Amino acid sequence: MTKYNEDKPLLTKEEINLLPTILYEGEIMLIRTNEELQRAISELKKSSFLGFDTETRPKFTKGAMHLPSLIQLASDKKVYLIQLKHVDFTQELVELLSDEHIYKIGVAIHEDYRNLSRICQLQNNGLIDLAKLANQKGLKAQGLRTICANLLGYKVNKGAQCSNWAADTLSHNQIQYAATDAWLGLLLYNNLIQLEDSPNFIDEKPKKKKKKYRFYKKKNNDLNKLVETH
């Protein structure tokens, strides 16, 4: 295993903009019917690791809230783009996304799952956050763009990020952008796991909150009985 050089400063935005652009050039399947979704799920279930991302219509007014419009899943063979306005959020899709034996990989993936859970309840099983993994390897970059730039030496084109993902038909640029983001999740993961863990990494596990018990007196004296055991 190689070791990431933690002493090397992260690239600035200006330096990242000078890098060559990385783009997914493999097969893309745009899923717009339940029949296509069923076939895609059957293929995706054969993979143990999937690049994952979602896209949501951007908010241009304060207080506006939109549901996710697109789910992107990348296997080592192709990328699947699921347009949620055209398909049902089927039980098979829920089971795929909740399967603890199929690892879903992305940046801020827990946030994506919280947003998807507004549509259908999911189990947060098998989720790998690339930002946390990068930190574990000594790379302090957090976003997909900064991780890609500092690890691979390429920039991610974010031109389509704020486009209308709820549109009936996605543009070529939207499709390429969405597919690249999901594919990069898998590509970056495969590169990060080749690196040694940083000796400075501390795995901070969330502390369990202590349960607070409150006792309330009932106004009705007949119900206000306290039983003490010694």
Side-chain angles (χ1 to χ4, degrees):
M1 278 192 174
T2 58
K3 186 177 181 180
Y4 182 78
N5 183 9
E6 297 184 54
D7 296 326
K8 182 181 178 181
L10 295 179
L11 296 174
T12 64
K13 290 182 179 180
E14 292 73 20
E15 289 172 330
I16 292 175
N17 288 335
L18 295 175
L19 296 174
T21 301
I22 192 168
L23 190 67
Y24 177 68
E25 298 179 347
E27 186 176 357
I28 302 172
M29 299 294 295
L30 187 60
I31 309 303
R32 292 169 54 93
T33 69
N34 287 338
E35 290 74 19
E36 291 172 341
L37 177 61
Q38 185 60 49
R39 289 196 295 270
I41 291 173
S42 296
E43 293 182 27
L44 287 163
K45 287 168 65 177
K46 299 174 184 177
S47 300
S48 298
F49 296 88
L50 297 171
F52 175 90
D53 196 18
T54 65
E55 301 297 341
T56 302
R57 180 182 178 184
K59 297 180 287 185
F60 295 112
T61 57
K62 188 176 181 180
M65 184 176 292
H66 302 297
L67 295 174
S69 301
L70 190 72
I71 297 176
Q72 303 108 274
L73 290 164
S75 70
D76 58 356
K77 296 181 180 179
K78 63 185 76 171
V79 176
Y80 301 83
L81 306 181
I82 304 171
Q83 276 193 276
L84 294 176
K85 72 177 302 179
H86 293 300
V87 301
D88 297 324
F89 211 114
T90 63
Q91 182 60 32
E92 290 80 7
L93 180 57
V94 171
E95 291 174 358
L96 173 71
L97 297 177
S98 302
D99 194 328
E100 63 181 346
H101 301 296
I102 299 177
Y103 292 95
K104 282 72 64 176
I105 307 160
V107 173
I109 191 170
H110 289 87
E111 180 67 22
D112 285 331
Y113 263 61
R114 278 192 292 270
N115 291 331
L116 283 175
S117 290
R118 292 161 51 203
I119 302 175
C120 192
Q121 193 61 42
L122 300 174
Q123 299 296 320
N124 295 344
N125 296 326
L127 305 188
I128 298 177
D129 190 333
L130 281 174
K132 182 178 180 180
L133 180 60
N135 184 55
Q136 181 178 331
K137 303 300 181 178
L139 175 55
K140 302 302 180 183
Q142 294 298 299
L144 185 73
R145 193 171 193 261
T146 52
I147 296 174
C148 182
N150 287 277
L151 185 64
L152 302 181
Y154 288 93
K155 70 179 177 183
V156 181
N157 189 341
K158 289 292 184 179
Q161 185 175 29
C162 292
S163 57
N164 182 13
W165 294 103
D168 185 74
T169 302
L170 299 180
S171 68
H172 174 75
N173 286 342
Q174 285 179 308
I175 291 172
Q176 285 291 337
Y177 169 88
T180 298
D181 271 11
W183 166 69
L184 274 177
L186 199 56
L187 179 65
L188 292 173
Y189 173 79
N190 287 332
N191 278 269
L192 285 169
I193 60 173
Q194 302 300 320
L195 301 175
E196 294 181 10
D197 285 355
S198 166
N200 302 314
F201 174 71
I202 299 175
D203 189 7
E204 296 181 358
K205 295 181 180 179
K207 296 180 180 179
K208 292 183 179 180
K209 293 183 178 180
K210 294 182 179 180
K211 292 183 179 180
K212 295 182 179 180
Y213 297 94
R214 294 181 179 178
F215 299 92
Y216 298 92
K217 291 184 179 180
K218 297 179 181 179
K219 293 181 180 180
N220 189 331
N221 290 331
D222 293 336
L223 297 176
N224 188 20
K225 297 179 182 180
L226 177 62
V227 179
E228 295 184 355
T229 59
H230 299 281

